[in-house]
Amino acid sequence: MKKSVALCFSLLVCNFFSFSQFKIVAESPEFTRPMWISQFLQLHNGNTAIISVKKPDIEIVLYGKEHKVIASVTYTPAGTLKSYGVNRIYEIKGDIVFFISGYEGNAALLHIIIFDGSTGKVKDERTIARTAPRKGMLNTAMLDPFEVKKDSRSDNYAVGVFNVFGEDKSKAIEIIQFDGNHAVINSTYLDAGNDEAFPFFICMD
């Protein structure tokens, strides 16, 4: 019993001295984390982006390798987007890339906004996918019809497009593959068949 107590005491003492040897090598000024949607993104170039979304604006504060602010950007997405929501945010080829789901008329679309990972400046903004227009009033509260997944070993990514209300059931689910330059590599459709018992398909990840 005494040996066990002595061993535990020794381990606690070792841990105490181990932790006491940690040193602060760098520290940024204090900042208040936004109350709205926010995300921290560590970039491969050593910069850190603090991203917040307070509709209709996107705000990015970029910290450099010395943990000091090097850029602060406020950007409003294109005016054609209605009821937009941020689908994903990834680092692709050193840039900060927003994937935004929105609506244009009765069609849902997937928009990308590319911010330079070194300066925070907008490099490009465009639509990369859209669903077929839906007849009648579009319910913007429905599930996001897009799913974005990035390859963990490259800058390639894939987009799932779910045309659940489309008339052509053979094109209900489309998968589009993009490279790091946001160019389409390949695209294909899921063969949903003609089974009337399963009129709708969704992707559950």
Side-chain angles (χ1 to χ4, degrees):
M1 180 68 179
K2 292 182 178 180
K3 291 183 178 180
S4 299
V5 172
L7 178 60
C8 290
F9 179 76
S10 298
L11 291 174
L12 287 173
V13 171
C14 289
N15 286 336
F16 174 78
F17 283 108
S18 296
F19 283 112
S20 66
Q21 293 177 11
F22 283 120
K23 296 181 180 180
I24 297 176
V25 296
E27 185 176 4
S28 72
E30 291 185 1
F31 62 89
T32 301
R33 178 171 178 171
M35 296 300 293
W36 46 88
I37 302 172
S38 60
Q39 179 174 328
F40 293 78
L41 188 63
Q42 179 69 55
L43 304 177
H44 286 89
N45 64 3
N47 293 347
T48 302
I50 300 179
I51 301 164
S52 57
V53 178
K54 187 179 181 181
K55 294 181 180 179
D57 297 328
I58 294 172
E59 297 180 0
I60 298 177
V61 179
L62 201 59
Y63 287 79
K65 297 179 181 179
E66 303 299 325
H67 309 285
K68 296 181 180 179
V69 176
I70 59 175
S72 181
V73 178
T74 299
Y75 186 78
T76 304
T80 56
L81 290 174
K82 296 180 180 179
S83 303
Y84 84 83
V86 177
N87 189 306
R88 290 286 188 274
I89 305 173
Y90 289 121
E91 178 188 2
I92 297 178
K93 299 194 76 171
D95 295 324
I96 304 167
V97 182
F98 278 70
F99 293 84
I100 292 179
S101 300
Y103 296 89
E104 189 175 59
N106 280 358
L109 55 84
L110 183 66
H111 209 65
I112 61 170
I113 304 176
I114 305 171
F115 295 87
D116 190 297
S118 298
T119 65
K121 295 182 179 179
V122 176
K123 296 176 65 175
D124 194 9
E125 178 180 6
R126 65 177 184 267
T127 298
I128 61 170
R130 65 174 63 237
T131 64
R134 180 187 175 190
K135 296 180 180 179
M137 184 173 64
L138 181 65
N139 179 13
T140 57
M142 62 177 283
L143 292 174
D144 192 334
F146 303 102
E147 182 70 25
V148 183
K149 292 295 181 182
K150 182 180 177 295
D151 182 5
S152 60
R153 294 176 294 180
S154 73
D155 285 318
N156 294 351
Y157 60 92
V159 174
V161 184
F162 310 114
N163 288 290
V164 293
F165 296 107
E167 295 181 359
D168 189 348
K169 298 306 179 184
S170 67
K171 296 183 178 180
I173 298 180
E174 181 183 13
I175 305 297
I176 310 172
Q177 185 182 7
F178 293 83
D179 63 15
N181 294 316
H182 311 285
V184 176
I185 300 174
N186 197 7
S187 65
T188 188
Y189 291 94
L190 170 68
D191 184 3
N194 296 315
D195 194 338
E196 295 297 330
F198 300 98
F200 301 110
F201 285 84
I202 61 172
C203 176
M204 300 181 67
D205 186 5

